[in-house]
Amino acid sequence: MVHLAEDRSDEELAAGAARGGRPELEALLRRCYPRIHALCRRITADDQDALDAAQEACIAVARGIARFDGRSAFTTWLYRVTTNACLDELRRRRRRPVAYGADTVSAAATRRTDEPALDAAVADRLTVDAALAGLPEDFRAAVVLRDLCGLDYAEIAAVLGIPAGTVRSRIARGRGAVADALGNQAGRAERPTRRP
Amino acid sequence: MTEPTEPLGPPDDELVSAYLDGELGPLERARVERDPAARRRVEELRTAAGALGTPPPPPGRHAQEAAVAAALAATADTARAAHPEGVAPSPRPGPHRARRWARLGVPAAAVAAAVVVLVLAVSVGDDAGPPVAAPTTTVDVGREAESFDAATPPGAGEGDDTAADGDVADRGLDEAELPTLGDVVTLEGLRQGLDAASASWEPTRTAACAAAVRTAVPGAVVAPRARVTWAGVPALVWSSDPTAAVVDVVVVDEETCAVLVSDVLPSGAPRAEG
């Protein structure tokens, strides 16, 4: 039990969990949670929403693992489930009175007052968050699946259910937004856009 | 009108980005490589990709444990649904944010309308608002909120949650008795229903939460039990304990049956400043 997660691959654990193995499922969830959370954090661009989405994703994994047939890589399946959980969370967030959220209020206030003291890494993170937040959610998901999760265009197309050409344009737009934001943050001259 | 003699302009971001990913054929790759501006852009997008690929800070251990526990409990719920007889409800795992009604397997239809329960501190005699014993106040009264339980004795069911309420908390909250719009539920009832096993309602974000709620629902804190509309959602404003500095915002929305925010200060703590 102690060595369960260490000795077995994701696919092996998934297969065991799919057969109803609770230890395998638990080990799989523990192993995958950091990846799930990271993806959720990037797609939602919000700490609390990321936690909610990550939890929902774990639940979706637990409920859906029996349907994982191993024909695709487990990670691709995991990212699909997680991405859907994130997009669902974002849809729910739109229906909430988000302007009243304590986190929104406090975080905004904190950032205003603390910003000069932020170190570069934190500043970059906030910049990336802000740039991502300015993108449509589906665009965000594409670039995050590429750059954070390392999926190729075909895999992203499968996860998001869109053509590979659309994946390419969405990734470009996401990276462009982040690149421009980082460039502006660094005080570099704004690069003239070549996009119409 | 003439056809352009050079149909290919300078490589745009899409081409440059695909170059970065090795997704271009030889001709397109060459276009990028011979354009100085495109090469600079490659480096900018590479930096962006690196920033995007840097994992965000991991959450606390509690978040992971809560998520895993919730997932395992969800599978238990599924099993219980398949074999309901003789299977007791499983306790809810302690969530980072109490969000468990959805896990109770409540169909959306069980919550016929969105229910929002706001539990706010009201200190008797506090200048910031009338005492809890004040008559019910309505704020931006919703469609179904023309009248409310003004006859309910203020304080009934507060604190120790006596049976005087006759509400779900006194009977134990189960799936068939989840509140719908207009129900009166107590904080304790919510706790029981949401997470029987957890005392994880964290005393955090309280002041900001209180301020946010006061901004969102002007005057909401004045009512011990009032129906309001919050962002268009029919809502209940609830004051659970007039003697304690409790600031608790519990939002149950129609789609998720989710508790979105919960903040509780220990009894006797100073009232959050709005």
Side-chain angles (χ1 to χ4, degrees):
Chain A
M1 176 70 181
V2 172
H3 301 293
L4 185 61
E6 297 171 9
D7 295 345
R8 300 171 71 178
S9 68
D10 285 354
E11 278 71 18
E12 289 172 327
L13 288 176
R19 290 190 297 268
R22 194 175 175 88
E24 286 88 348
L25 175 60
E26 184 171 352
L28 187 66
L29 290 170
R30 289 186 192 286
R31 178 189 288 178
C32 293
Y33 186 83
R35 279 179 277 172
I36 291 172
H37 174 267
L39 177 55
C40 290
R41 179 62 185 77
R42 279 284 182 246
I43 292 181
T44 63
D46 179 89
D47 287 332
Q48 283 300 321
D49 287 337
L51 292 175
D52 284 345
Q55 182 163 308
E56 295 302 325
C58 287
I59 290 167
V61 167
R63 287 183 165 158
I65 192 66
R67 295 191 296 275
F68 173 66
D69 56 14
R71 281 186 291 185
S72 63
F74 172 75
T75 50
T76 304
W77 181 83
L78 175 70
Y79 290 142
R80 179 185 298 122
V81 169
T82 302
T83 300
N84 287 335
C86 291
L87 297 178
D88 286 346
E89 181 63 27
L90 290 169
R91 279 189 282 271
R92 279 193 290 269
R93 183 171 66 178
R94 281 200 296 270
R95 300 184 183 191
R96 289 183 223 157
V98 289
Y100 314 142
D103 291 342
T104 305
V105 174
S106 60
T110 301
R111 286 178 193 176
R112 277 196 300 273
T113 56
D114 292 349
E115 202 150 23
L118 294 175
D119 65 29
V122 175
D124 278 356
R125 184 159 58 85
L126 294 178
T127 300
V128 170
D129 281 346
L132 286 175
L135 291 170
E137 292 147 8
D138 292 339
F139 287 65
R140 224 181 290 170
V143 72
V144 171
L145 286 168
R146 172 63 198 154
D147 287 335
L148 181 70
C149 303
L151 300 191
D152 63 28
Y153 287 15
E155 289 171 322
I156 296 169
V159 167
L160 298 179
I162 56 177
T166 306
V167 170
R168 179 167 120 162
S169 64
R170 289 182 180 182
I171 290 172
R173 184 166 162 190
R175 283 177 179 159
V178 172
D180 292 342
L182 290 172
N184 290 338
Q185 171 193 286
R188 292 196 291 268
E190 189 171 353
R191 173 185 173 276
T193 179
R194 283 173 288 188
R195 296 186 69 83
Chain B
M1 195 159 71
T2 59
E3 290 295 324
T5 54
E6 173 53 75
L8 300 177
D12 61 10
D13 271 0
E14 188 171 327
L15 208 59
V16 173
S17 176
Y19 173 85
L20 198 59
D21 289 327
E23 295 276 349
L24 297 184
L27 290 178
E28 289 179 314
R29 204 162 52 237
R31 274 183 66 198
V32 173
E33 290 172 348
R34 67 171 172 257
D35 185 303
R39 289 201 300 272
R40 284 195 298 276
R41 190 58 170 169
V42 166
E43 293 312 310
E44 291 174 359
L45 294 191
R46 195 191 308 278
T47 300
L52 284 161
T54 302
R61 184 81 181 164
H62 174 71
Q64 172 169 332
E65 294 305 315
V68 171
L72 295 174
T75 59
D77 287 345
T78 302
R80 190 169 61 250
H83 306 284
E85 58 283 349
V87 181
S90 58
R92 305 290 93 195
H96 58 86
R97 189 192 296 184
R99 190 164 208 188
R100 298 276 60 87
W101 285 3
R103 304 284 80 75
L104 288 172
V106 184
V111 183
V115 179
V116 180
V117 184
L118 309 179
V119 186
L120 297 169
V122 181
S123 300
V124 175
D126 190 303
D127 290 339
V132 167
T136 296
T137 301
T138 55
V139 182
D140 188 14
V141 176
R143 172 168 55 85
E144 300 178 56
E146 305 306 330
S147 63
F148 193 60
D149 190 11
T152 300
E158 296 166 348
D160 62 358
D161 186 30
T162 66
D165 291 72
D167 62 23
V168 290
D170 305 314
R171 303 191 298 270
L173 193 64
D174 66 26
E175 295 182 23
E177 296 175 317
L178 285 169
T180 57
L181 181 64
D183 281 347
V184 177
V185 295
T186 65
L187 177 61
E188 187 57 31
L190 287 170
R191 280 180 175 148
Q192 291 176 5
L194 296 171
D195 188 351
S198 173
S200 64
W201 289 35
E202 299 174 359
T204 58
R205 309 196 314 274
T206 304
C209 182
V213 171
R214 289 182 186 127
T215 301
V217 190
V221 296
V222 303
R225 290 173 181 178
R227 292 185 183 184
V228 301
T229 300
W230 188 13
V233 178
L236 298 182
V237 174
W238 181 267
S239 175
S240 66
D241 185 351
T243 64
V246 176
V247 178
D248 210 333
V249 182
V250 182
V251 181
V252 183
D253 72 41
E254 184 175 19
E255 184 181 28
T256 63
C257 306
V259 174
L260 302 179
V261 182
S262 60
D263 294 281
V264 181
L265 274 181
S267 178
R271 182 182 179 184
E273 186 50 55

